Amino acid sequence: MGKRLYAVIGLGRFGGSICKELSREGMEVLAIDNDEEKVNEFKEVASHAVIADSTDEIALRDLGFRNIDHVIVAIGDNVHASILTTLIVKELGISTITVKAQNDYHEKVLEKIGADEIVHPERDMGRRIAHSIISSNILDYLELSDEHSVVEVKAGDRMDGETIIDLDIRARFGCNVVAIKRGKDINVSPMADDVIEKGDIIIVIGSDKDIHRFEKALV
Ligand code: ADP
């Protein structure tokens, strides 16, 4: 199988950061923006950087878009251009399309036209930061669905020296401890009698409501 080919459309802060990271990881990336200055910034970063208006189907065809495996549509404020671009890319038969959504209405339209993955970087990052503001022991927060999440918390005094069964996390809060990290070691199938130490990083999965109760009681 040949190397996967990526295209990033829109080289603002979000698209630019994706483009840089994919390139840093050695991926082949076609970077596109209709702003010449932006494109010049990425000439040295991406495998190819071209000026094009992604709402122009012929322009995308001419760039050989049919050979791209995964397109990231990272057009920010211009919702109309983002939707039209996604539609064109979809029609060109690209197998995977990731689109940055600006708001709920935008997301609904993107779902309807078949975007494979819709991301809300500002909203999600805002939520993650809010959780770490509430408690400095909440290290990370990943939304699995509208109602379920995974949180990474640092064990403090309330968990120090206790086993999972002592803390009775599943029965009391309905959440599951899926892993315990201690320094470089990671225990991915913790047993009921495994002891938690202060400073351990505990990864817990559950409904938002249950995780919230767990955080209030033990974190
Ligand atoms: P961010 O919030 O991630 O910085 P921006 O809205 O600033 O997002 O960036 C979006 C980028 O998308 C800009 O660089 C802009 O020039 C580019 N862009 C907008 N419309 C098109 C289009 N039709 N074709 C190609 N690039 C576009």
Side-chain angles (χ1 to χ4, degrees):
M1 209 174 79
K3 211 170 174 182
R4 275 178 77 76
L5 302 178
Y6 297 87
V8 177
I9 302 176
L11 303 170
R13 283 160 306 172
F14 177 66
S17 159
I18 291 189
C19 182
K20 282 182 189 153
E21 204 58 24
L22 287 173
S23 305
R24 213 171 57 87
E25 292 286 332
M27 304 294 155
E28 183 118 356
V29 185
L30 169 61
I32 296 168
D33 203 293
N34 58 0
D35 177 343
E36 184 175 357
E37 253 176 60
K38 282 271 160 59
V39 173
N40 285 338
E41 255 180 68
F42 284 83
K43 280 242 164 5
E44 304 290 310
V45 177
S47 328
H48 313 276
V50 291
I51 308 167
D53 177 356
S54 59
T55 61
D56 177 351
E57 182 171 351
I58 295 167
L60 292 191
R61 263 185 212 284
D62 288 350
L63 286 173
F65 243 66
R66 277 200 320 239
N67 302 320
I68 307 275
D69 301 295
H70 191 155
V71 173
I72 296 97
V73 181
I75 295 175
D77 294 336
N78 191 343
V79 170
H80 174 250
S82 162
I83 292 170
L84 191 52
T85 300
T86 307
L87 199 60
I88 292 171
V89 170
K90 185 81 194 169
E91 278 179 2
L92 289 175
I94 305 297
S95 65
T96 314
I97 309 172
T98 300
V99 192
K100 169 180 155 165
Q102 203 63 6
N103 52 46
D104 292 345
Y105 156 77
H106 189 190
E107 172 163 11
K108 266 205 182 115
V109 178
L110 293 172
E111 268 172 16
K112 280 263 184 301
I113 60 180
D116 301 286
E117 188 188 18
I118 301 166
V119 293
H120 294 259
E122 288 95 351
R123 184 194 70 186
D124 294 349
M125 192 45 92
R127 284 187 183 167
R128 289 165 87 161
I129 291 175
H131 279 261
S132 65
I133 287 171
I134 293 167
S135 163
S136 57
N137 285 333
I138 298 174
L139 304 176
D140 208 350
Y141 169 89
L142 173 72
E143 198 175 71
L144 296 177
S145 71
D146 283 349
E147 287 169 22
H148 293 85
S149 305
V150 174
V151 284
E152 199 175 80
V153 302
K154 197 178 207 169
D157 292 330
R158 286 190 269 189
M159 289 196 251
D160 190 22
E162 306 277 358
T163 62
I164 295 177
I165 194 74
D166 290 338
L167 295 170
D168 213 8
I169 293 173
R170 187 180 301 162
R172 281 166 71 198
F173 311 110
C175 314
N176 278 297
V177 175
V178 289
I180 301 174
K181 284 200 261 184
R182 182 171 303 155
K184 284 204 170 106
D185 296 330
I186 174 153
N187 174 357
V188 289
S189 55
M191 301 293 179
D193 57 358
D194 281 346
V195 178
I196 294 173
E197 288 175 10
K198 189 173 173 174
D200 284 355
I201 295 174
I202 317 291
I203 298 160
V204 176
I205 188 166
S207 73
D208 293 339
K209 193 167 53 57
D210 292 339
I211 286 182
H212 183 65
R213 290 194 300 126
F214 160 76
E215 286 173 2
K216 277 189 97 167
L218 293 179
V219 181

